[in-house]
mmCIF file of all heavy atoms in Angstrom:
data_model
loop_
_atom_site.group_PDB
_atom_site.id
_atom_site.type_symbol
_atom_site.label_atom_id
_atom_site.label_comp_id
_atom_site.label_asym_id
_atom_site.label_seq_id
_atom_site.Cartn_x
_atom_site.Cartn_y
_atom_site.Cartn_z
ATOM 1 N N PHE D 133 -0.366 15.112 0.655
ATOM 2 C CA PHE D 133 -0.134 16.335 -0.122
ATOM 3 C C PHE D 133 -0.542 17.518 0.765
ATOM 4 O O PHE D 133 -1.720 17.857 0.847
ATOM 5 C CB PHE D 133 -0.972 16.274 -1.406
ATOM 6 C CG PHE D 133 -0.836 17.475 -2.316
ATOM 7 C CD1 PHE D 133 0.393 18.090 -2.538
ATOM 8 C CD2 PHE D 133 -1.951 17.981 -2.981
ATOM 9 C CE1 PHE D 133 0.514 19.187 -3.390
ATOM 10 C CE2 PHE D 133 -1.849 19.079 -3.833
ATOM 11 C CZ PHE D 133 -0.615 19.684 -4.032
ATOM 12 N N PRO D 134 0.440 18.096 1.487
ATOM 13 C CA PRO D 134 0.104 19.196 2.396
ATOM 14 C C PRO D 134 0.174 20.558 1.707
ATOM 15 O O PRO D 134 0.963 20.755 0.786
ATOM 16 C CB PRO D 134 1.195 19.092 3.467
ATOM 17 C CG PRO D 134 2.369 18.504 2.745
ATOM 18 C CD PRO D 134 1.859 17.729 1.553
ATOM 19 N N GLY D 135 -0.642 21.481 2.160
ATOM 20 C CA GLY D 135 -0.587 22.827 1.616
ATOM 21 C C GLY D 135 -1.599 23.717 2.299
ATOM 22 O O GLY D 135 -2.381 23.268 3.138
ATOM 23 N N SER D 136 -1.577 25.003 1.925
ATOM 24 C CA SER D 136 -2.543 25.940 2.498
ATOM 25 C C SER D 136 -3.899 25.826 1.794
ATOM 26 O O SER D 136 -4.936 25.997 2.413
ATOM 27 C CB SER D 136 -2.051 27.380 2.333
ATOM 28 O OG SER D 136 -0.786 27.540 2.907
ATOM 29 N N PHE D 137 -3.852 25.629 0.490
ATOM 30 C CA PHE D 137 -5.079 25.535 -0.318
ATOM 31 C C PHE D 137 -6.000 26.721 -0.012
ATOM 32 O O PHE D 137 -7.172 26.561 0.285
ATOM 33 C CB PHE D 137 -5.792 24.190 -0.084
ATOM 34 C CG PHE D 137 -4.895 23.013 -0.357
ATOM 35 C CD1 PHE D 137 -4.331 22.291 0.684
ATOM 36 C CD2 PHE D 137 -4.573 22.661 -1.664
ATOM 37 C CE1 PHE D 137 -3.463 21.235 0.437
ATOM 38 C CE2 PHE D 137 -3.710 21.593 -1.921
ATOM 39 C CZ PHE D 137 -3.163 20.878 -0.866
ATOM 40 N N ASP D 138 -5.418 27.913 -0.092
ATOM 41 C CA ASP D 138 -6.136 29.150 0.274
ATOM 42 C C ASP D 138 -6.261 30.071 -0.932
ATOM 43 O O ASP D 138 -5.594 31.106 -0.977
ATOM 44 C CB ASP D 138 -5.397 29.850 1.430
ATOM 45 C CG ASP D 138 -6.160 31.052 1.960
ATOM 46 O OD1 ASP D 138 -7.395 30.955 2.044
ATOM 47 O OD2 ASP D 138 -5.528 32.065 2.291
ATOM 48 N N THR D 141 -6.660 25.541 -6.229
ATOM 49 C CA THR D 141 -6.698 25.990 -7.630
ATOM 50 C C THR D 141 -6.704 24.774 -8.557
ATOM 51 O O THR D 141 -6.518 23.642 -8.098
ATOM 52 C CB THR D 141 -5.444 26.819 -7.976
ATOM 53 O OG1 THR D 141 -4.311 25.930 -7.997
ATOM 54 C CG2 THR D 141 -5.184 27.924 -6.958
ATOM 55 N N GLY D 143 -4.356 24.076 -10.409
ATOM 56 C CA GLY D 143 -2.990 23.536 -10.298
ATOM 57 C C GLY D 143 -2.922 22.470 -9.212
ATOM 58 O O GLY D 143 -2.332 21.403 -9.404
ATOM 59 N N HIS D 144 -3.551 22.738 -8.065
ATOM 60 C CA HIS D 144 -3.602 21.738 -6.983
ATOM 61 C C HIS D 144 -4.366 20.500 -7.446
ATOM 62 O O HIS D 144 -3.947 19.370 -7.210
ATOM 63 C CB HIS D 144 -4.334 22.292 -5.755
ATOM 64 C CG HIS D 144 -3.623 23.413 -5.053
ATOM 65 N ND1 HIS D 144 -4.235 24.601 -4.751
ATOM 66 C CD2 HIS D 144 -2.361 23.514 -4.575
ATOM 67 C CE1 HIS D 144 -3.376 25.388 -4.117
ATOM 68 N NE2 HIS D 144 -2.232 24.759 -3.997
ATOM 69 N N ILE D 147 -2.348 18.225 -9.637
ATOM 70 C CA ILE D 147 -1.394 17.407 -8.882
ATOM 71 C C ILE D 147 -2.145 16.246 -8.200
ATOM 72 O O ILE D 147 -1.714 15.087 -8.248
ATOM 73 C CB ILE D 147 -0.638 18.261 -7.827
ATOM 74 C CG1 ILE D 147 0.200 19.359 -8.489
ATOM 75 C CG2 ILE D 147 0.213 17.382 -6.907
ATOM 76 C CD1 ILE D 147 1.491 18.909 -9.145
ATOM 77 N N LYS D 168 0.491 32.177 9.715
ATOM 78 C CA LYS D 168 0.049 32.595 8.381
ATOM 79 C C LYS D 168 -1.320 33.234 8.438
ATOM 80 O O LYS D 168 -2.155 32.841 9.244
ATOM 81 C CB LYS D 168 -0.029 31.367 7.458
ATOM 82 C CG LYS D 168 1.268 31.058 6.746
ATOM 83 C CD LYS D 168 1.041 30.080 5.604
ATOM 84 C CE LYS D 168 2.344 29.695 4.941
ATOM 85 N NZ LYS D 168 2.178 28.664 3.928
ATOM 86 N N LEU D 213 4.139 14.714 -0.627
ATOM 87 C CA LEU D 213 4.134 15.113 -2.023
ATOM 88 C C LEU D 213 4.029 16.631 -2.089
ATOM 89 O O LEU D 213 3.207 17.232 -1.398
ATOM 90 C CB LEU D 213 2.925 14.468 -2.721
ATOM 91 C CG LEU D 213 2.657 14.893 -4.155
ATOM 92 C CD1 LEU D 213 3.730 14.355 -5.085
ATOM 93 C CD2 LEU D 213 1.278 14.420 -4.591
ATOM 94 N N ARG D 214 4.872 17.250 -2.937
ATOM 95 C CA ARG D 214 4.781 18.693 -3.138
ATOM 96 C C ARG D 214 4.844 18.982 -4.630
ATOM 97 O O ARG D 214 5.544 18.293 -5.380
ATOM 98 C CB ARG D 214 5.941 19.406 -2.429
ATOM 99 C CG ARG D 214 5.923 19.242 -0.923
ATOM 100 C CD ARG D 214 4.890 20.092 -0.229
ATOM 101 N NE ARG D 214 5.233 21.508 -0.229
ATOM 102 C CZ ARG D 214 4.417 22.454 0.238
ATOM 103 N NH1 ARG D 214 3.231 22.168 0.720
ATOM 104 N NH2 ARG D 214 4.797 23.710 0.226
ATOM 105 N N GLY D 215 4.105 19.985 -5.052
ATOM 106 C CA GLY D 215 4.123 20.363 -6.460
ATOM 107 C C GLY D 215 5.161 21.452 -6.689
ATOM 108 O O GLY D 215 5.363 22.290 -5.816
ATOM 109 N N VAL D 216 5.813 21.413 -7.841
ATOM 110 C CA VAL D 216 6.759 22.495 -8.147
ATOM 111 C C VAL D 216 6.470 23.113 -9.510
ATOM 112 O O VAL D 216 6.270 22.428 -10.499
ATOM 113 C CB VAL D 216 8.252 22.055 -8.096
ATOM 114 C CG1 VAL D 216 8.762 22.009 -6.684
ATOM 115 C CG2 VAL D 216 8.479 20.745 -8.797
ATOM 116 N N ARG D 217 6.444 24.448 -9.506
ATOM 117 C CA ARG D 217 6.157 25.183 -10.734
ATOM 118 C C ARG D 217 7.426 25.623 -11.443
ATOM 119 O O ARG D 217 7.407 25.872 -12.635
ATOM 120 C CB ARG D 217 5.315 26.418 -10.423
ATOM 121 C CG ARG D 217 3.848 26.134 -10.282
ATOM 122 C CD ARG D 217 3.154 27.225 -9.528
ATOM 123 N NE ARG D 217 3.657 27.291 -8.167
ATOM 124 C CZ ARG D 217 2.963 27.731 -7.137
ATOM 125 N NH1 ARG D 217 1.748 28.193 -7.308
ATOM 126 N NH2 ARG D 217 3.473 27.735 -5.930
ATOM 127 N N ASP D 221 9.934 27.837 -6.753
ATOM 128 C CA ASP D 221 9.288 26.835 -5.903
ATOM 129 C C ASP D 221 10.317 25.821 -5.447
ATOM 130 O O ASP D 221 10.335 25.412 -4.294
ATOM 131 C CB ASP D 221 8.236 26.039 -6.705
ATOM 132 C CG ASP D 221 6.863 26.696 -6.679
ATOM 133 O OD1 ASP D 221 6.721 27.724 -6.009
ATOM 134 O OD2 ASP D 221 5.954 26.169 -7.344
ATOM 135 N N TYR D 224 12.681 26.746 -2.513
ATOM 136 C CA TYR D 224 11.925 26.790 -1.258
ATOM 137 C C TYR D 224 11.568 25.370 -0.807
ATOM 138 O O TYR D 224 11.775 24.985 0.344
ATOM 139 C CB TYR D 224 10.660 27.640 -1.460
ATOM 140 C CG TYR D 224 9.661 27.540 -0.338
ATOM 141 C CD1 TYR D 224 9.908 28.145 0.896
ATOM 142 C CD2 TYR D 224 8.462 26.839 -0.506
ATOM 143 C CE1 TYR D 224 8.985 28.041 1.933
ATOM 144 C CE2 TYR D 224 7.540 26.737 0.527
ATOM 145 C CZ TYR D 224 7.806 27.332 1.743
ATOM 146 O OH TYR D 224 6.892 27.233 2.764
ATOM 147 N N GLU D 225 11.061 24.598 -1.751
ATOM 148 C CA GLU D 225 10.636 23.229 -1.439
ATOM 149 C C GLU D 225 11.808 22.354 -1.015
ATOM 150 O O GLU D 225 11.673 21.470 -0.178
ATOM 151 C CB GLU D 225 9.941 22.591 -2.658
ATOM 152 C CG GLU D 225 8.635 23.250 -3.045
ATOM 153 C CD GLU D 225 7.524 23.034 -2.016
ATOM 154 O OE1 GLU D 225 7.651 22.100 -1.202
ATOM 155 O OE2 GLU D 225 6.568 23.813 -2.011
ATOM 156 N N THR D 246 4.591 20.692 -12.224
ATOM 157 C CA THR D 246 3.278 21.128 -12.706
ATOM 158 C C THR D 246 3.120 20.781 -14.182
ATOM 159 O O THR D 246 4.102 20.718 -14.918
ATOM 160 C CB THR D 246 3.131 22.656 -12.507
ATOM 161 O OG1 THR D 246 1.833 23.043 -12.887
ATOM 162 C CG2 THR D 246 4.142 23.445 -13.313
ATOM 163 N N TYR D 250 -0.769 24.809 -15.998
ATOM 164 C CA TYR D 250 -1.031 25.288 -14.633
ATOM 165 C C TYR D 250 0.151 26.055 -14.050
ATOM 166 O O TYR D 250 0.139 26.455 -12.892
ATOM 167 C CB TYR D 250 -1.388 24.102 -13.727
ATOM 168 C CG TYR D 250 -2.518 23.304 -14.298
ATOM 169 C CD1 TYR D 250 -2.292 22.077 -14.902
ATOM 170 C CD2 TYR D 250 -3.814 23.809 -14.286
ATOM 171 C CE1 TYR D 250 -3.336 21.353 -15.466
ATOM 172 C CE2 TYR D 250 -4.855 23.102 -14.855
ATOM 173 C CZ TYR D 250 -4.606 21.880 -15.442
ATOM 174 O OH TYR D 250 -5.623 21.197 -15.999
ATOM 175 N N PHE D 251 1.151 26.230 -14.879
ATOM 176 C CA PHE D 251 2.410 26.837 -14.490
ATOM 177 C C PHE D 251 2.231 28.173 -13.777
ATOM 178 O O PHE D 251 2.911 28.469 -12.801
ATOM 179 C CB PHE D 251 3.242 26.989 -15.774
ATOM 180 C CG PHE D 251 4.572 27.615 -15.592
ATOM 181 C CD1 PHE D 251 5.524 27.008 -14.790
ATOM 182 C CD2 PHE D 251 4.887 28.800 -16.245
ATOM 183 C CE1 PHE D 251 6.775 27.580 -14.637
ATOM 184 C CE2 PHE D 251 6.136 29.372 -16.084
ATOM 185 C CZ PHE D 251 7.074 28.768 -15.280
ATOM 186 N N LEU D 253 -0.452 29.334 -12.226
ATOM 187 C CA LEU D 253 -1.495 29.411 -11.199
ATOM 188 C C LEU D 253 -0.910 29.438 -9.796
ATOM 189 O O LEU D 253 -0.143 28.568 -9.406
ATOM 190 C CB LEU D 253 -2.473 28.236 -11.339
ATOM 191 C CG LEU D 253 -3.217 28.172 -12.664
ATOM 192 C CD1 LEU D 253 -4.306 27.123 -12.603
ATOM 193 C CD2 LEU D 253 -3.811 29.522 -13.022
ATOM 194 N N SER D 255 -2.174 30.591 -5.734
ATOM 195 C CA SER D 255 -3.314 31.036 -4.907
ATOM 196 C C SER D 255 -3.238 32.530 -4.614
ATOM 197 O O SER D 255 -4.249 33.238 -4.674
ATOM 198 C CB SER D 255 -3.355 30.265 -3.587
ATOM 199 O OG SER D 255 -3.550 28.896 -3.815
HETATM 200 P P1 LIG H 197 1.906 26.225 0.801
HETATM 201 O O1 LIG H 197 1.451 27.432 1.561
HETATM 202 O O2 LIG H 197 2.210 25.049 1.650
HETATM 203 O O3 LIG H 197 2.959 26.476 -0.246
HETATM 204 P P2 LIG H 197 -0.021 25.998 -1.342
HETATM 205 O O4 LIG H 197 -1.477 25.757 -1.167
HETATM 206 O O5 LIG H 197 0.407 27.295 -1.919
HETATM 207 O O6 LIG H 197 0.595 25.740 0.068
HETATM 208 O O7 LIG H 197 0.603 24.802 -2.188
HETATM 209 C C1 LIG H 197 0.521 23.462 -1.825
HETATM 210 C C2 LIG H 197 1.392 22.648 -2.751
HETATM 211 O O8 LIG H 197 0.870 22.709 -4.084
HETATM 212 C C3 LIG H 197 2.833 23.155 -2.848
HETATM 213 O O9 LIG H 197 3.690 22.040 -2.994
HETATM 214 C C4 LIG H 197 2.819 23.991 -4.105
HETATM 215 O O10 LIG H 197 4.106 24.079 -4.674
HETATM 216 C C5 LIG H 197 1.865 23.181 -4.968
HETATM 217 N N1 LIG H 197 1.231 23.965 -6.027
HETATM 218 C C6 LIG H 197 0.518 25.097 -5.893
HETATM 219 N N2 LIG H 197 0.089 25.550 -7.104
HETATM 220 C C7 LIG H 197 0.562 24.668 -8.026
HETATM 221 C C8 LIG H 197 0.506 24.576 -9.452
HETATM 222 N N3 LIG H 197 -0.126 25.494 -10.167
HETATM 223 N N4 LIG H 197 1.127 23.528 -10.028
HETATM 224 C C9 LIG H 197 1.781 22.619 -9.297
HETATM 225 N N5 LIG H 197 1.892 22.648 -7.963
HETATM 226 C C10 LIG H 197 1.296 23.652 -7.326
#
Side-chain angles (χ1 to χ4, degrees):
F133 180 40
S136 304
F137 304 104
D138 186 39
T141 70
H144 293 129
I147 297 284
K168 272 194 184 175
L213 173 70
R214 296 284 288 175
V216 280
R217 278 160 296 208
D221 272 357
Y224 168 73
E225 294 292 341
T246 184
Y250 306 105
F251 179 62
L253 299 189
S255 297

